[in-house]
């Protein structure tokens, strides 16, 4: 009996303990519920609200890049990416059928994308706004639309190496896109979006001071007309002479503005992945080479500056062969006595070397530095090289003879062209520039550039003498392939042996020509260099001079050139347009061919004395009888071809508006009337 009582007592204790703990647990639960539902309701409400609110970054549009005439070279386009999970598609058959109708491809194509029905797949990227609007009209449940902004370059490869490109995040990675990224990129905005329990948007707003700011605009000194012409002619020179590469630039010698700059092969910044680094490199500023005879103006400048020599001073050129210590210097032509003017006209190596010897190492070196060699020009773009100039203390006994003809020294084409700008403008070395102004996202002027004089390189008198000498090079010397009937062209050829594995090659050359016009009051300087053209066509007179001539001729014929410079009066504009002179290749009977050409030109000029309006004036008067030369459009994109033909006031007809020109009518070079119909066949490839 006592044992049973003891068991009951233990049972009561255990039961009481359990009940106590259950009571305590109940109290805790009740307290928690009261705390959640009554005491802490505000904080939980805030947490619930926070879970329904999303912060969305608003991507700004990148600023425009424009040329000097406000033509848009880079802009931003709104595109869409779409994707989905198969299990989210309420009516997959309808979705696939609609995608097929709007975007192309078969329904089966889109169905096969979804290999895993629970996985998210991208269906298509970079869809136009118009296509997305069409899709949205069909109310397709389950599709996810993602808006984005991509960079677009309307002129495709034209000026691509200057403009550069952006990455997937719309940041500039090359060219002015990179250098001026802080102006172009803009500032992101912030949007607050509130959603309900089902994930649907209830409301949205942009907080104060969180608005997006689109990027500021960038204005270049480039002229897209000149740029297109230069790149076209570089490609023609490349195709004709088969070099490793070709490069060129056009500058205003009076301001330092770069009007065009390019190298070929080039690339399309709309398709960066389809190019390689060498195509994207701006060789004009990043490649240095021994310039050859285009450098001869430097020691000649030194001699003219010091008054040690004049243009008529006579130098013994040793009948084309001169021994200097252990080396023999050769000339192409055997001449005994030549004036300083003739030494440049015929590009005598011996004559230039003797002039440098007369002038002295220190004077030549000082002149080299005055022209800016050995220092960057400061154009403001990435990868600019300084070139290499040895200090006088490191010159060998024969260094003066090598440097006088453009060897044993390196320079970029940019440096060479700016040196010729100094010769052309009266002796001032200017800082080249390619960006005129840049604006901030707040539309305030953040950067600007104007004419900057670095120093005086030579006197006005020396500049005048050199302009006359270089004009003689084109009329009577090695530069006759740059001659343009009716205009005063000046310039200099250069054919420099390349150093390969430590030795001067006998088959690989850098072939150059730098010219300017009109020689009495220059407004344009153009330099073109080809790296290793086919041997036999490797002379600067054959490979480069005709290309510069073509650039100048097309600028005169196809732009508002004469309206810009009213003092440039050709002797006979009609002859310039209607007589497409074939290039006369330099040969040993150089003076015979020049005299023959001079007589022919004089006879032509005398047969037509009628005064006619300029091309620009006749276009403005809507005179349909104006005659123009049909340009070569093969290989151009449709947008480029249309732009060129529109500038010539010609009517464009085509089979499609995307792709490249594979056939044209009329043929290139034909004389046609303004407002004529032009028929282009466009391939489907971009």
């Amino acid at each position: 009996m006592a044992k049973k009582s003891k068991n009951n007592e233990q049972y009561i204790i255990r039961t009481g303990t359990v009940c106590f703990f259950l009571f305590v647990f109940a109290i805790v639960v009740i307290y928690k519920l009261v705390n959640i539902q009554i005491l802490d309701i505000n904080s939980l409400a805030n947490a619930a609200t926070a879970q329904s609110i999303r912060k969305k970054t608003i991507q700004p549009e990148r600023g425009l890049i424009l040329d000097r005439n406000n033509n848009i070279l880079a802009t931003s386009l709104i595109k869409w990416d779409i994707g989905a999970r198969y299990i989210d598609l309420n009516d997959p058959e309808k979705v696939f059928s609609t995608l097929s109708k709007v975007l192309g491809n078969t329904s089966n194509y889109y169905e096969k994308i979804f290999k895993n029905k629970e996985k998210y797949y991208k269906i298509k990227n970079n869809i136009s706004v118009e296509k997305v609007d069409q899709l949205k009209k069909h109310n397709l449940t389950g599709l996810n639309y993602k808006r984005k902004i991509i960079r677009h370059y309307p002129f495709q490869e034209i000026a691509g190496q200057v403009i550069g490109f952006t990455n997937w995040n719309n940041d500039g990675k090359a060219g002015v896109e990179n250098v001026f990224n802080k102006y172009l990129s803009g500032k992101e905005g912030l949007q607050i979006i509130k959603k309900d329990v089902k994930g649907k948007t209830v409301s949205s707003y942009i907080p104060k001071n969180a608005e997006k700011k689109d990027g500021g605009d960038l204005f270049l000194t480039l002229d897209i007309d000149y740029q297109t012409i230069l790149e076209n002619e570089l490609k023609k020179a490349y195709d004709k002479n088969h070099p490793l590469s070709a490069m060129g630039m056009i500058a205003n010698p009076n301001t330092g503005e770069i009007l065009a700059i390019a190298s070929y092969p080039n690339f399309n910044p709309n398709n960066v992945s389809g190019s390689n680094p060498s195509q994207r490199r701006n060789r004009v500023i990043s490649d240095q080479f021994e310039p050859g005879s285009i450098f001869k103006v430097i020691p000649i400048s030194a001699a003219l500056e010091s008054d040690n020599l004049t243009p008529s001073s006579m130098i013994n050129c040793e009948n084309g062969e001169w021994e200097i210590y252990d080396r023999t210097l050769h000339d192409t032509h055997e001449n005994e006595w030549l004036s300083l003017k003739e030494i440049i006209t015929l590009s005598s190596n011996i004559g230039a070397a003797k002039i440098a010897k007369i002038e002295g190492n220190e004077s030549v070196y000082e002149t080299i530095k005055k022209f800016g060699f050995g220092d960057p020009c400061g154009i403001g773009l990435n990868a600019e090289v300084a070139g290499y100039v040895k200090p006088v203390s490191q010159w060998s006994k024969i260094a003066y003879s090598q440097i006088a003809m453009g060897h044993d020294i390196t320079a970029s084409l940019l440096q060479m062209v700016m040196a010729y700008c100094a010769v052309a403008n009266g002796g001032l070395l200017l800082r080249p520039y390619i960006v005129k102004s840049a604006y901030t996202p707040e539309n305030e002027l953040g950067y600007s550039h104007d004419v900057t004089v670095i120093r005086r390189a030579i006197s006005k008198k020396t500049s005048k003498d050199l302009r006359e000498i270089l004009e003689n090079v084109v009329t009577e010397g090695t530069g006759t392939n740059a001659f343009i009937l009716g205009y005063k062209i000046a310039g200099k050829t250069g054919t420099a042996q390349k150093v390969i594995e430590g030795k001067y090659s006998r088959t690989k050359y850098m072939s150059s020509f730098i010219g300017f016009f009109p020689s009495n009051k220059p407004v344009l300087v153009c330099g073109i260099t080809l790296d290793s053209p086919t041997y036999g066509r490797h002379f600067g007179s054959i490979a480069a001079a005709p290309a510069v001539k073509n650039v100048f001729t097309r600028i005169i014929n196809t732009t508002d050139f004469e309206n810009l410079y009213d003092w440039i009066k050709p002797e006979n504009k009609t002859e310039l347009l209607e007589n497409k002179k074939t290039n006369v290749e330099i040969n040993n009977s150089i003076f015979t061919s020049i005299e023959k050409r001079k007589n022919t030109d004089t006879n032509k000029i005398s047969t037509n004395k009628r005064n006619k309006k300029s091309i620009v004036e006749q276009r403005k008067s809507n005179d349909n009888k104006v005659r123009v030369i049909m340009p070569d459009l093969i290989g151009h994109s449709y947008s480029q071809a249309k732009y060129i033909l529109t500038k010539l006031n010609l009517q464009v007809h085509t089979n499609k508006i995307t792709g490249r020109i594979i056939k044209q009518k009329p043929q290139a070079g034909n004389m046609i009337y303004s407002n004529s119909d032009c028929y282009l066949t466009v391939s489907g490839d971009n």
Side-chain angles (χ1 to χ4, degrees):
M1 191 72 181
K3 185 176 181 180
K4 185 176 181 180
S5 175
K6 187 176 182 180
N7 288 339
N8 287 338
E9 185 181 340
Q10 290 177 345
Y11 174 78
I12 292 169
I13 292 171
R14 286 196 296 269
T15 302
T17 302
V18 170
C19 289
F20 174 77
F21 280 110
L22 287 174
F23 177 75
V24 172
F25 177 75
I27 293 297
V28 171
V29 170
I30 291 170
Y31 171 80
K32 199 70 177 176
L33 289 173
V34 170
N35 190 55
I36 290 173
Q37 296 188 28
I38 299 174
L39 302 178
D40 202 26
I41 190 169
N42 291 331
S43 63
L44 289 173
N46 291 336
T49 301
Q51 288 178 358
S52 68
I53 290 177
R54 299 288 185 271
K55 293 181 180 180
K56 180 182 178 182
T57 300
I58 305 174
Q59 187 181 6
E61 289 190 25
R62 199 167 171 83
L64 300 174
I65 299 177
L66 306 100
D67 81 341
R68 65 187 303 107
N69 298 312
N70 294 330
N71 293 301
I72 296 174
L73 307 181
T75 186
S76 296
L77 298 179
I78 296 173
K79 295 288 184 178
W80 292 81
D81 295 344
I82 62 171
R85 294 192 309 167
Y86 188 91
I87 59 174
D88 294 332
L89 303 177
N90 284 358
D91 189 347
E93 289 187 8
K94 179 184 176 183
V95 171
F96 300 149
S97 174
T98 306
L99 289 173
S100 176
K101 290 177 182 177
V102 176
L103 303 180
N105 294 316
T106 63
S107 297
N108 191 44
Y109 167 84
Y110 294 104
E111 185 176 2
K112 286 183 177 180
I113 291 175
F114 298 92
K115 297 175 182 178
N116 184 330
K117 292 188 177 182
E118 294 185 358
K119 187 177 178 181
Y120 183 88
Y121 290 95
K122 287 184 178 180
I123 296 173
K124 193 164 186 178
N125 295 332
N126 298 332
I127 306 171
S128 68
V129 174
E130 293 76 16
K131 295 289 186 184
V132 168
D133 287 343
Q134 290 179 43
L135 287 173
K136 287 183 176 181
K137 288 178 182 178
H138 292 275
N139 297 317
L140 303 174
T141 304
L143 286 183
N144 178 56
Y145 299 90
K146 184 179 179 181
R147 181 181 182 272
K148 65 180 183 180
I149 299 174
I150 65 170
R151 203 61 163 158
H152 177 64
Y153 305 93
F155 289 94
Q156 301 191 59
E157 70 270 15
I158 301 300
Q161 292 153 339
V162 173
I163 299 169
F165 55 89
T166 60
N167 64 5
W168 62 272
N169 202 30
N170 230 13
D171 286 325
K173 303 307 293 182
V176 295
E177 289 272 33
N178 172 255
V179 177
F180 290 86
N181 188 61
K182 69 177 183 179
Y183 298 103
L184 292 164
S185 59
K187 296 181 180 179
E188 293 180 342
L190 182 66
Q191 183 180 21
I192 306 299
I193 301 172
K194 188 173 183 179
K195 295 179 178 289
D196 61 17
V197 292
K198 294 182 178 181
K200 292 184 178 180
T201 300
V202 176
S203 63
S204 66
Y205 69 96
I206 296 174
K208 188 178 180 180
N209 299 323
E211 300 91 349
K212 76 174 176 71
K213 292 182 180 179
D214 293 335
D217 296 337
L218 191 67
F219 294 85
L220 305 184
T221 62
L222 293 183
D223 184 309
I224 196 61
D225 286 350
Y226 293 11
Q227 183 75 30
T228 301
I229 289 169
L230 176 66
E231 295 202 37
N232 290 168
E233 294 305 325
L234 286 178
K235 183 180 185 302
K236 289 179 184 176
Y238 180 89
D239 291 342
K240 186 174 184 178
N241 300 289
H242 307 292
L244 297 176
S245 63
M247 54 183 161
M249 67 173 281
I250 305 172
N252 182 334
N254 305 301
T255 64
E257 294 171 291
I258 305 302
L259 304 176
I261 184 169
S263 58
Y264 190 87
N266 53 12
F267 83 108
N268 184 343
N270 292 309
N271 181 27
V272 179
S273 61
S275 64
N276 58 57
S278 67
Q279 291 173 290
R280 300 192 290 269
R281 190 165 80 241
N282 189 342
R283 296 178 181 275
V284 176
I285 67 171
S286 65
D287 284 14
Q288 54 186 329
F289 57 96
E290 293 189 351
S293 293
I294 53 175
F295 195 77
K296 287 175 180 173
V297 296
I298 307 304
I300 299 301
S301 295
L304 293 175
E305 278 288 278
S306 65
D307 289 330
N308 284 332
L309 298 171
T310 68
S312 59
S313 296
M314 302 300 292
I315 304 292
N316 186 346
C317 293
E318 309 289 344
N319 286 316
E321 190 172 301
W322 184 40
E323 291 187 6
I324 311 175
Y325 294 99
D326 59 342
R327 298 191 185 182
T328 302
L329 203 59
H330 295 91
D331 273 346
T332 304
H333 303 285
E334 296 179 4
N335 294 289
E336 186 173 3
W337 290 93
L338 292 175
S339 67
L340 181 148
K341 181 177 181 179
E342 290 170 329
I343 285 169
I344 294 297
T345 299
L346 297 177
S347 199
S348 168
N349 293 329
I350 295 171
K354 285 199 169 185
I355 289 171
K357 184 178 182 180
I358 291 170
E359 189 57 29
N361 291 352
E362 291 288 349
S363 176
V364 172
Y365 177 79
E366 183 181 341
T367 304
I368 289 171
K369 297 302 290 182
K370 280 185 177 180
F371 273 101
F373 295 102
D375 299 306
C377 291
I379 192 174
L381 297 178
N382 293 330
E384 183 190 351
V385 295
Y388 179 65
V389 180
K390 291 180 182 178
V392 176
S393 60
Q394 296 180 18
W395 286 22
S396 67
K397 292 181 179 180
I398 63 168
Y400 70 87
S401 66
Q402 299 298 303
I403 291 172
M405 59 183 188
H407 286 290
D408 207 17
I409 187 171
T410 65
S412 66
L413 182 58
L414 173 65
Q415 289 174 311
M416 288 305 313
V417 170
M418 295 314 298
Y420 274 73
C421 284
V423 171
N425 68 26
L428 298 176
L429 181 66
L430 303 178
R431 188 175 305 286
Y433 65 105
I434 205 163
V435 176
K436 294 185 70 173
S437 58
Y439 286 81
T440 67
E442 291 76 25
N443 203 30
E444 297 175 351
L445 183 63
Y447 172 90
S448 64
H449 200 297
D450 207 342
V451 181
T452 303
V453 178
I454 298 174
R455 71 180 71 88
R456 176 166 287 282
I458 52 176
S459 67
K460 289 183 178 180
K461 181 181 182 304
T462 298
S463 168
K464 181 176 181 296
D465 289 341
L466 284 173
R467 291 199 303 269
E468 292 175 355
I469 292 170
L470 293 173
E471 182 183 344
N472 205 54
V473 171
V474 174
T475 58
E476 297 183 9
T478 59
T480 55
N481 279 343
F483 178 84
I484 301 175
L485 178 62
Y487 290 90
K488 293 180 179 295
I489 309 296
K492 183 71 187 75
T493 55
T495 308
Q497 290 174 282
K498 289 181 65 176
V499 176
I500 298 178
E501 296 181 354
K503 297 181 180 179
Y504 282 107
S505 171
R506 295 183 179 275
T507 58
K508 304 296 182 183
Y509 292 80
M510 298 295 290
S511 305
S512 306
F513 183 82
I514 302 178
F516 55 84
F517 87 102
S519 56
N520 59 318
K521 193 176 180 182
V523 296
L524 291 180
V525 177
C526 178
I528 287 179
T529 295
L530 283 73
D531 182 352
S532 306
T534 301
Y535 186 72
R537 296 192 57 82
H538 62 283
F539 299 103
S541 58
I542 295 175
V548 173
K549 172 191 174 175
N550 292 342
V551 168
F552 284 156
T553 302
R554 289 182 61 184
I555 287 175
I556 294 166
N557 284 348
T558 61
T559 67
D560 296 345
F561 187 75
E562 289 181 7
N563 278 8
L564 292 174
Y565 309 106
D566 57 5
W567 66 84
I568 300 176
K569 301 296 181 185
E571 297 173 25
N572 193 303
K573 180 72 176 185
T574 306
E575 286 299 319
L576 178 61
L577 287 172
E578 298 187 0
N579 177 38
K580 192 177 182 182
K581 276 176 79 300
T582 56
N583 294 324
V584 180
E585 296 195 352
I586 302 300
N587 52 48
N588 290 331
S589 57
I590 188 169
F591 294 106
T592 304
S593 64
I594 292 169
E595 288 303 317
K596 190 182 295 183
R597 176 178 50 70
K598 277 185 174 179
N599 294 334
T600 303
D601 293 343
T602 303
N603 292 334
K604 287 179 180 176
I605 293 171
S606 65
T607 60
N608 194 337
K609 295 291 185 181
R610 292 176 295 173
N611 292 321
K612 290 192 174 185
K613 296 178 181 178
S614 71
I615 293 296
V616 175
E617 291 171 331
Q618 293 183 59
R619 280 189 210 140
K620 289 180 177 178
S621 66
N622 294 319
D623 182 356
N624 289 338
K625 293 185 178 180
V626 176
R627 298 183 73 187
V628 295
I629 299 173
M630 180 66 181
D632 184 0
L633 303 173
I634 304 300
H636 284 58
S637 67
Y638 169 74
S639 59
Q640 293 171 15
K642 182 179 179 182
Y643 180 81
I644 293 168
L645 294 180
T646 301
K647 295 288 285 187
L648 291 171
N649 199 27
L650 297 170
Q651 302 302 312
V652 185
H653 304 276
T654 184
N655 59 321
K656 58 179 71 174
I657 61 173
T658 57
R660 297 197 172 275
I661 311 303
I662 59 174
K663 191 182 296 184
Q664 69 177 68
K665 184 180 180 182
Q667 297 299 314
N670 288 353
M671 293 299 304
I672 58 177
Y673 288 111
S674 178
N675 209 35
S676 294
D677 292 317
C678 299
Y679 299 90
L680 306 177
T681 301
V682 183
S683 72
D685 300 324
N686 265 327

